[in-house]
Amino acid sequence: MARSWRLYLFGAVCLILAITFLRPTSHPYNLSWTSSGLVSDGKTLAQIVVAALEKDDVRWIDIGYWDVWKYEADNPNAKHAVPKNKGNEAMVYLTHIIDQYDHLAPRLIFMHAGRYQWHNDDPRYDAKNNLQNLRLKHVDEEGYVNLRCHWFQGCPSAVNLTMAPYLNPLHGNPTADFDHLYTSTLRYLLPTLPIPKAVAATCCSQFAVSASAIRKHKKDVYIKIRKWLMETEMDDYDSGRVLEYMWHILFGKKAVNCPAVDDCYCRTYGKCGLKCEEGDCGQYQYPINIPRLKTWWWQVKHLFG
């Protein structure tokens, strides 16, 4: 009996050591990476707009001095609701911009509700790590910063606009390919914009943007985009994806917006000196056939982080 007790104790110690030494390290929150004044006056310096459902728990977003707005797309009675649950996160983002246009926070972070998801450019797919390490000064300098540096998906090319015929963007056009849908919608929503030959940007509709970058366009432009989103026959996937590759253009970036990956990690998250090749710096792996987000062992390793 005593021997069995010692074996259980040994096993418990081994498990604790495994969790301690095998879990990936995360960068600590470093105030020097953010804009000056974060703790000097206690004022909100960033506002996080979360595209969520009623069931989503976003209490993991507990960054001090940051104001969290949870929009519940499926709950018309929510504190922050949308006029129609359509277009995935796009309806939430546009609704916040329209409703708060004259009272926007200096910097806004638009993101999804899930802390762990494949969209998140982090070795653990952990959005909280990204928020804690985000350099707000870089957002101030750039105006628009995609929270994803890794080039998969969307860079160095995503949409070819040279061969796309015009389609009615209010119709579903189920047999049309994405290039045609995108080009037609871009022409419809931003008719004065010269149509580029190609559009590219890292996915996945999670980004930080300054209020001044949003106000490069009048509120009427965003109202028009939301009206199209509400009325188009395109499904949520296509309509949301069209805007996924349009946000950077709306906020003042070139049509092809694929920053050098090493520079992006350094300036956006303070991860400098990485060795990178073909858009990859070893910080992210697309989880095809990698069940890191589901296995009990992965969850145990990250239980304390």
Side-chain angles (χ1 to χ4, degrees), residues 4-198:
S4 298
W5 181 85
R6 286 195 295 269
L7 286 174
Y8 283 126
L9 179 61
F10 177 76
V13 171
C14 290
L15 179 61
I16 292 172
L17 290 174
I19 293 173
T20 302
F21 291 102
L22 291 180
R23 74 183 182 94
T25 58
S26 60
H27 292 274
Y29 186 35
N30 188 333
L31 293 181
S32 67
W33 292 349
T34 65
S35 299
S36 59
L38 182 61
V39 297
S40 63
D41 57 9
K43 293 182 180 179
T44 298
L45 291 187
Q47 194 168 76
I48 304 180
V49 179
V50 187
L53 300 176
E54 184 177 7
K55 66 179 178 62
D56 292 325
D57 185 350
V58 300
R59 286 176 293 180
W60 60 268
I61 309 174
D62 55 1
I63 313 299
Y65 301 100
W66 291 16
D67 185 20
V68 180
W69 288 50
K70 178 192 176 187
Y71 281 81
E72 299 177 1
D74 60 341
N75 180 11
N77 298 316
K79 178 180 179 181
H80 303 302
V82 295
K84 188 175 185 179
N85 184 9
K86 194 168 186 292
N88 298 326
E89 69 282 320
M91 184 64 71
V92 167
Y93 296 178
L94 289 167
T95 297
H96 186 83
I97 290 172
I98 292 167
D99 292 350
Q100 301 298 317
Y101 187 86
D102 295 324
H103 308 284
L104 292 169
R107 307 164 196 87
L108 299 98
I109 301 166
F110 293 89
M111 62 184 301
H112 305 154
R115 176 175 176 179
Y116 297 104
Q117 55 176 330
W118 75 263
H119 294 163
N120 299 329
D121 194 346
D122 177 78
R124 298 178 347 190
Y125 313 110
D126 188 350
K128 187 169 184 176
N129 278 348
N130 289 344
L131 289 178
Q132 289 176 325
N133 295 333
L134 180 63
R135 293 188 172 191
L136 296 182
K137 183 178 180 181
H138 180 48
V139 179
D140 293 341
E141 293 170 348
E142 291 293 320
Y144 166 88
V145 174
N146 198 314
L147 297 186
R148 186 176 178 86
C149 293
H150 196 284
W151 278 11
F152 182 84
Q153 301 169 340
C155 283
S157 62
V159 189
N160 178 2
L161 284 70
T162 60
M163 301 296 291
Y166 182 79
L167 301 170
N168 188 335
L170 292 173
H171 292 169
N173 301 302
T175 61
D177 62 33
F178 181 71
D179 291 359
H180 296 176
L181 295 176
Y182 181 93
T183 306
S184 301
T185 307
L186 185 67
R187 287 178 175 175
Y188 176 77
L189 295 178
L190 302 173
T192 62
L193 180 75
I195 299 299
K197 294 182 179 180

Side-chain angles (χ1 to χ4, degrees), residues 191-255:
T192 62
L193 180 75
I195 299 299
K197 294 182 179 180
V199 168
T202 50
C203 80
C204 301
S205 289
Q206 297 191 110
F207 52 84
V209 63
S210 66
S212 58
I214 291 176
R215 293 192 182 111
K216 288 180 182 291
H217 295 287
K218 295 181 178 180
K219 184 162 69 171
D220 289 347
V221 172
Y222 300 105
I223 292 173
K224 178 181 180 180
I225 296 172
R226 189 175 68 172
K227 185 174 185 292
W228 163 79
L229 185 60
M230 294 174 67
E231 295 177 353
T232 182
E233 295 174 358
M234 289 187 203
D235 60 22
D236 288 349
Y237 176 81
D238 283 334
S239 59
R241 190 172 175 227
V242 163
L243 290 175
E244 176 181 349
Y245 291 105
M246 203 177 294
W247 295 117
H248 67 288
I249 297 175
L250 276 170
F251 301 137
K253 293 300 182 182
K254 293 181 179 179

